[in-house]
Amino acid sequence: MASRGAALAHMDFWLQLLAFQRRVARGLLPSDAIWTLAAGLNAPPTGPPPESQHLRIYGKGCLSFEDLVNEQDWTWGHGVRDFAKEAARELGTAEVCAAQADLFHAPRQAFSYLARAARVFGGVAHEVAAPTILRAAAAFLKLRQVYLDCWGCTQSWCTDPNIFRRHACGHKLDLRQPWVRSAWRALLDAQARKLDAKASPATEAALRLLDRGARDDPTVPPLKPCCRDRTHGCCRLP
């Protein structure tokens, strides 16, 4: 049977697949829709720590060409503003977006459009290219766009297992810490048992080898002042 779509997730972005399976079954994540993250980039600090806005969320999402010219709430480094504007114009859309791009899904009917758009945006940073292309695809193909509510942001670290147990997705697990690896493995094993899924002996052997070779960070870095409340993961709305 042909696939109905494809999802992409960065390696340091956690997903509880059982939770996503339930959302798909309930119709909250339609397979014929585009799924993207709503925000997640960190805006430039308004002051050094411990200023409460030291790490802010850039939440504007998408900008018209006119608004993009004087936009200063995100870094727009390495010429990405001009590169993205030219690529968007070539693609036929009149806006540029910036958001965390660590997780997204596209339905099969969008593949051809996305392949063409990816060639146009080949030199543009992925945190601008991916959200711009996905939004343009949704508009051009008249597809529904679903925004995912995941924990954290680009500069957040999760060392508390209670957080990734409560949230179906987020960025990012601090896998340098042995208790994080252990708790995450236990959570996935428990979900696999509910699904009656069993890893092959070869997969289990590979996982044990990875565990033995893991490099533990001997000390947990001190919390940044803005991270004392672990529920927001260094992210504060402006």
Side-chain angles (χ1 to χ4, degrees), residues 1-205:
M1 184 176 70
S3 66
R4 290 180 290 180
L8 181 147
H10 285 198
M11 291 298 292
D12 58 3
F13 197 94
W14 84 73
L15 291 172
Q16 291 197 44
L17 295 181
L18 186 57
F20 271 76
Q21 182 190 56
R22 290 169 178 161
R23 293 182 184 185
V24 170
R26 292 165 58 192
L28 300 177
L29 293 175
S31 60
D32 60 352
I34 286 176
W35 316 342
T36 57
L37 297 168
L41 297 181
N42 289 109
T46 56
E51 288 290 327
S52 61
Q53 294 291 320
H54 176 66
L55 287 173
R56 302 174 298 134
I57 285 293
Y58 177 73
K60 291 185 178 177
C62 300
L63 299 164
S64 67
F65 291 166
E66 182 179 0
D67 290 335
L68 183 65
V69 173
N70 297 313
E71 170 59 25
Q72 299 297 326
D73 281 352
W74 191 51
T75 54
W76 299 100
H78 307 291
V80 69
R81 188 194 313 259
D82 293 333
F83 292 147
K85 182 177 177 180
E86 291 306 312
R89 182 177 285 114
E90 182 177 346
L91 185 63
T93 183
E95 60 183 3
V96 170
C97 306
Q100 193 176 13
D102 287 20
L103 172 65
F104 60 83
H105 166 274
R108 187 177 184 85
Q109 57 264 46
F111 286 1
S112 295
Y113 182 94
L114 294 176
R116 178 171 65 86
R119 289 191 290 270
V120 174
F121 276 77
V124 179
H126 71 282
E127 289 164 332
V128 174
T132 303
I133 288 171
L134 291 166
R135 183 174 171 89
F140 183 79
L141 300 171
K142 296 180 172 55
L143 300 174
R144 180 180 171 188
Q145 191 165 6
V146 178
Y147 292 98
L148 301 168
D149 181 18
C150 296
W151 182 91
C153 56
T154 55
Q155 297 187 39
S156 60
W157 290 82
C158 179
T159 59
D160 183 352
N162 288 323
I163 289 177
F164 59 72
R165 291 186 186 114
R166 289 197 307 266
H167 296 270
C169 51
H171 181 273
K172 56 187 169 181
L173 284 179
D174 191 351
L175 294 174
R176 300 170 299 176
Q177 313 307 334
W179 71 87
V180 174
R181 296 197 303 273
S182 176
W184 179 241
R185 176 80 178 273
L187 178 63
L188 294 183
D189 284 346
Q191 294 190 3
R193 286 192 293 272
K194 290 181 180 180
L195 294 170
D196 197 27
K198 296 180 176 63
S200 68
T203 299
E204 290 292 350

